[in-house]
């Protein structure tokens, strides 16, 4: 902790003393919006549990009123902003990573471990979300049948692979669901902890409850999709 | 007969040329009511007079005996060995300058904190030693007294990953301290002046919300509430104020 203000610190402050505030606010807001998006997205997907017709009419409605056309690029932009805003908190230098990892292991402190998990899931969510977006957008429009086919599709069944098949997509979605909900649930927990108001242990239970419900909905939706693809339902 | 305690203690004296950091083992028999402070004194008296560690008050008041106890920061004088497993691992607090073995220099760090947060009542009123003390609402006095209880042990700083990787971060104790002045009616600092002290990444907006500070403060200060309170206050101040005319020191 040094006392002297260097030229750079002084100039940063002079340029705009409120930058740190704006960036911190923007980080929290982008997180809140993305959690809101994810939970809404999962509720929309879960309409498949009720009926493929409901799922389709919802999807058609989103297209008709240009909600999808505006919403998807906006969400992609938001994700990119969030990567920069929240990513600056992750230890990036090797020195910092080593310290962070050592402290996390040494203390065995739940919230610190959860944060390490958030950093790791952030990476996975980034990769998985790009893949998910690519596969969905290249098969647009999104309807129950196309989604079911996507979820149930198996991996490369080319003879050069020795006829090897594996239900890649379902595994992909199960992992994506768990990782995404973990990152969102604990991310929201941390935002609320930082800004206050609630008792954090009680709040933790509420958020875990919501996350479990959404993960369950996601699992049921995935199951429904595989059944539709198999000609059932 | 009590349990046989085995201690694994970090040894390193940076002042001895060629000394290498290592863990040293000591065995000690536990007895009723033993604290880590007592155990360390026993070790120094009976087994190894070169072992360095700090203590003053033995009563969780002075904050000098903080160390990493089985990986977590805590006060040696407040920790009963009976609450620990028979294998006890002791390390000095990270972040602070290592003096030797378990002894660290928290004084310099806290002195800097004092100066950076300007931890004194800023007032233009002239002090009149004859006058009666100005009265304060009991509620306000209690609200100030709570954060004021900080004993400057450094446990919150040691357990904070942000403070571990960024040496300009004020830490929970620093932000807590500013929170104390924020509610003190005698302090005449403006929002802009407070914003200059903690309205940045080095202060309120640097905290990531890991809550290790909140879980490890031996005095159990409500650090989460304090951090959030200062963050909200500073956000309010920053959004409301036009800081253009603010002086840059
Ligand atoms: S809540 Fe903030 S101050 Fe406390 S340990 Fe975490 S980052 Fe550090
Ligand atoms: S806030 Fe708690 S942990 Fe931090 S220095 Fe003060 S007493 Fe110690
Ligand atoms: S010796 Fe003073 S707090 Fe432990």
């Amino acid at each position: 902790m040094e006392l002297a203000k260097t030229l750079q610190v002084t100039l940063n402050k002079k340029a705009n003393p409120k930058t740190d505030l704006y960036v911190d606010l923007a980080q929290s807001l982008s997180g809140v919006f993305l959690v809101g998006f994810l939970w809404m997205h999962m509720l929309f997907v879960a309409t498949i549990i009720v009926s493929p017709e409901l799922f389709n009419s919802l999807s058609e409605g989103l297209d008709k009123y240009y909600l999808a056309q505006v919403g998807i690029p906006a969400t992609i932009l938001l994700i990119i902003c969030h990567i920069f805003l929240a990513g600056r908190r992750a230890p990036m230098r090797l020195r910092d990573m080593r310290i962070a990892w050592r402290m996390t292991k040494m203390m065995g402190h739940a919230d610190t471990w959860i944060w390490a998990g958030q950093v790791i899931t952030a990476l996975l969510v980034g990769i998985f979300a790009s893949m998910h977006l690519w596969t969905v957008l290249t098969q647009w429009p999104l309807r129950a049948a196309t989604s079911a086919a996507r979820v149930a599709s198996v991996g490369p069944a080319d003879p050069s692979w020795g006829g090897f098949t594996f239900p890649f997509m379902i595994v992909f979605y199960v992992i994506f669901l768990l990782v995404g909900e973990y990152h969102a649930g604990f991310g929201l927990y941390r935002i609320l902890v930082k800004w206050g108001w609630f008792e954090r242990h009680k709040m933790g239970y509420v958020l875990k409850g919501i996350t479990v419900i959404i993960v369950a909905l996601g699992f049921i939706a995935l199951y429904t999709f595989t059944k539709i693809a198999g000609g059932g339902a | 007969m009590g349990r046989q305690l085995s201690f694994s203690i970090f040894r390193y004296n940076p002042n001895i040329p060629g000394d290498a950091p290592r863990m040293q083992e000591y065995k000690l028999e536990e007895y009723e009511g033993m604290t880590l402070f007592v155990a360390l004194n026993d070790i120094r008296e009976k087994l190894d007079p070169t072992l360095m560690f700090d203590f003053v008050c033995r009563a969780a008041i002075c904050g000098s005996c903080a160390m990493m106890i089985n990986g977590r920061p805590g006060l040696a004088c407040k920790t009963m060995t009976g609450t620990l497993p028979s294998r006890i691992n002791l390390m000095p607090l990270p972040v602070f300058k290592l003096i030797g073995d378990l002894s660290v220099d928290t004084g310099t760090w806290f002195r800097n904190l004092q100066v950076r947060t300007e931890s004194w009542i800023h007032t233009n009123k002239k002090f009149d030693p004859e006058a009666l003390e100005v009265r304060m609402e009991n509620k306000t006095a209690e609200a100030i007294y709570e954060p004021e209880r900080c004993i400057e042990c450094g446990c919150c700083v040691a357990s904070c990953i942000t403070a571990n990787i960024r040496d300009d971060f004020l830490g929970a104790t620093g932000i807590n301290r500013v929170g104390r002045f924020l509610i003190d009616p005698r302090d005449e600092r403006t929002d802009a002046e407070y914003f200059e002290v903690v309205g940045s990444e080095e202060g309120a907006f640097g905290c990531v919300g890991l809550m290790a500070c909140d879980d490890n403060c031996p005095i159990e200060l409500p650090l989460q509430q304090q951090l959030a309170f200062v963050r909200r206050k500073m956000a309010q101040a920053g959004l409301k104020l036009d800081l253009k005319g603010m002086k840059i020191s």
Side-chain angles (χ1 to χ4, degrees):
Chain A
M1 162 165 322
E2 70 275 12
L3 193 56
K5 284 194 179 136
T6 62
L7 173 71
Q8 302 298 7
V9 173
T10 310
L11 292 183
N12 273 351
K13 270 219 161 155
K14 189 173 157 53
N16 188 347
K18 294 197 254 177
T19 310
D20 291 358
L21 161 65
Y22 294 147
V23 172
D24 193 54
L25 268 180
Q27 183 199 345
S28 290
L29 283 178
S30 68
V32 169
F33 283 135
L34 282 172
V35 173
F37 159 77
L38 182 63
W39 286 359
M40 205 173 63
H41 174 315
M42 291 315 295
L43 288 181
F44 283 2
V45 169
T47 54
I48 194 71
I49 304 169
V50 182
S51 77
E53 290 71 36
L54 181 63
F55 183 92
N56 280 339
S57 54
L58 183 64
S59 173
E60 279 159 26
L62 289 179
D63 287 356
K64 196 166 134 210
Y65 297 106
Y66 294 100
L67 290 174
Q69 289 87 332
V70 176
I72 294 174
T75 309
I76 295 176
L77 201 68
L78 196 58
I79 292 176
I80 295 173
C81 293
H82 186 72
I83 291 173
F84 281 101
L85 290 167
R88 78 189 208 292
R89 299 285 202 204
M92 286 295 178
R93 292 189 300 169
L94 182 62
R95 162 195 182 276
D96 297 352
M97 288 183 195
R98 294 176 72 195
I99 295 175
W101 185 238
R102 183 180 306 128
M103 289 304 295
T104 308
K105 275 195 310 193
M106 183 174 175
M107 291 193 299
H109 170 248
D111 274 40
T112 305
W113 264 116
I114 288 171
W115 176 72
Q118 270 180 284
V119 176
I120 296 164
T121 49
L123 278 173
L124 295 175
V125 170
I127 298 167
F128 280 53
S130 327
M131 289 160 75
H132 172 62
L133 273 163
W134 186 263
T135 48
V136 169
L137 292 181
T138 49
Q139 289 167 17
W140 205 258
L142 186 117
R143 297 292 177 262
T146 53
S147 293
R150 172 158 41 86
V151 168
S153 67
V154 292
D158 191 271
S160 62
W161 278 59
F164 169 73
T165 60
F166 185 75
F168 274 110
M169 289 315 278
I170 188 79
V171 174
F172 172 90
Y173 276 115
V174 166
I175 300 176
F176 189 21
L177 179 65
L178 293 174
V179 169
E181 290 302 334
Y182 175 100
H183 191 79
F186 284 119
L188 188 59
Y189 165 78
R190 210 163 295 288
I191 293 169
L192 294 175
V193 159
K194 283 198 295 192
W195 291 95
W197 301 300
F198 312 104
E199 203 284 311
R200 74 185 162 105
H201 296 107
K202 272 189 221 131
M203 185 178 70
Y205 288 127
V206 173
L207 288 177
K208 272 180 213 153
I210 297 176
T211 302
V212 167
I213 292 172
I214 294 198
V215 168
L217 280 179
F219 274 129
I220 303 173
L222 283 176
Y223 175 72
T224 316
F225 277 130
T226 50
K227 261 181 56 186
I228 294 173
Chain B
M1 214 179 103
R3 286 190 301 173
Q4 181 81 8
L5 300 178
S6 19
F7 288 86
S8 179
I9 300 182
F10 179 83
R11 301 299 310 271
Y12 175 54
N13 187 341
N15 297 315
I16 300 176
D19 196 26
R22 64 198 179 277
M23 299 303 289
Q24 192 166 336
E25 304 285 324
Y26 299 97
K27 290 214 186 310
L28 204 65
E29 195 185 311
E30 186 178 41
Y31 48 80
E32 188 67 31
M34 186 186 240
T35 64
L36 267 185
F37 156 79
V38 172
L40 282 168
N41 275 291
D42 272 4
I43 292 176
R44 184 152 67 182
E45 241 162 64
K46 295 177 194 148
L47 303 172
D48 189 343
T50 65
L51 182 65
M52 289 188 272
F53 56 90
D54 299 321
F55 65 90
V56 179
C57 71
R58 313 174 332 286
I61 296 166
C62 73
S64 3
C65 65
M67 56 186 68
M68 299 303 263
I69 305 161
N70 285 341
R72 291 235 194 167
L75 299 177
C77 70
K78 203 189 174 201
T79 307
M80 308 290 283
T81 52
T83 62
L84 300 171
S86 59
R87 270 206 70 79
I88 299 171
N89 187 296
L90 299 178
M91 303 269 273
L93 289 188
V95 181
F96 304 101
K97 185 175 168 231
L98 187 60
I99 295 174
D101 301 343
L102 300 174
S103 170
V104 292
D105 173 15
T106 49
T108 309
W109 195 95
F110 276 96
R111 160 80 193 155
N112 274 336
L113 180 79
Q114 175 94 359
V115 177
R116 278 180 62 194
T117 55
E118 305 191 7
S119 302
W120 53 86
I121 301 279
H122 292 53
T123 178
N124 289 318
K125 292 202 185 73
K126 256 195 78 156
F127 178 64
D128 176 5
E130 304 297 322
L132 275 179
E133 219 179 318
V134 184
R135 283 179 181 274
M136 188 188 279
E137 282 282 322
N138 201 36
K139 232 178 94 200
T140 317
E142 273 170 9
I144 295 174
Y145 181 68
E146 182 70 359
E148 183 81 43
R149 284 168 45 228
C150 169
I151 58 171
E152 304 193 358
C153 61
C155 288
C156 55
V157 179
S159 57
C160 171
I161 291 201
T162 310
N164 268 272
I165 60 187
R166 291 199 14 220
D167 51 12
D168 56 1
F169 183 52
L170 286 175
T173 176
I175 296 165
N176 171 66
R177 172 122 24 134
V178 176
R180 172 242 175 281
F181 285 98
L182 268 171
I183 55 171
D184 193 320
R186 293 165 300 177
D187 197 310
E188 291 164 0
R189 270 183 276 188
T190 62
D191 279 357
E193 284 167 314
Y194 280 119
F195 192 88
E196 201 185 329
V197 174
V198 275
S200 66
E201 288 269 277
E202 291 88 54
F205 304 129
C207 162
V208 184
L210 301 182
M211 292 300 128
C213 54
D214 193 58
D215 287 330
N216 288 314
C217 173
I219 307 301
E220 289 171 24
L221 291 187
L223 292 175
Q224 188 225 330
Q225 280 95 305
Q226 283 293 102
L227 289 165
F229 167 70
V230 175
R231 200 183 208 115
R232 291 200 302 268
K233 268 281 188 199
M234 287 304 107
Q236 250 174 18
L239 294 177
K240 215 162 45 194
L241 286 172
D242 179 19
L243 294 171
K244 281 241 181 63
M246 213 172 87
K247 66 173 193 311
I248 291 150
S249 54

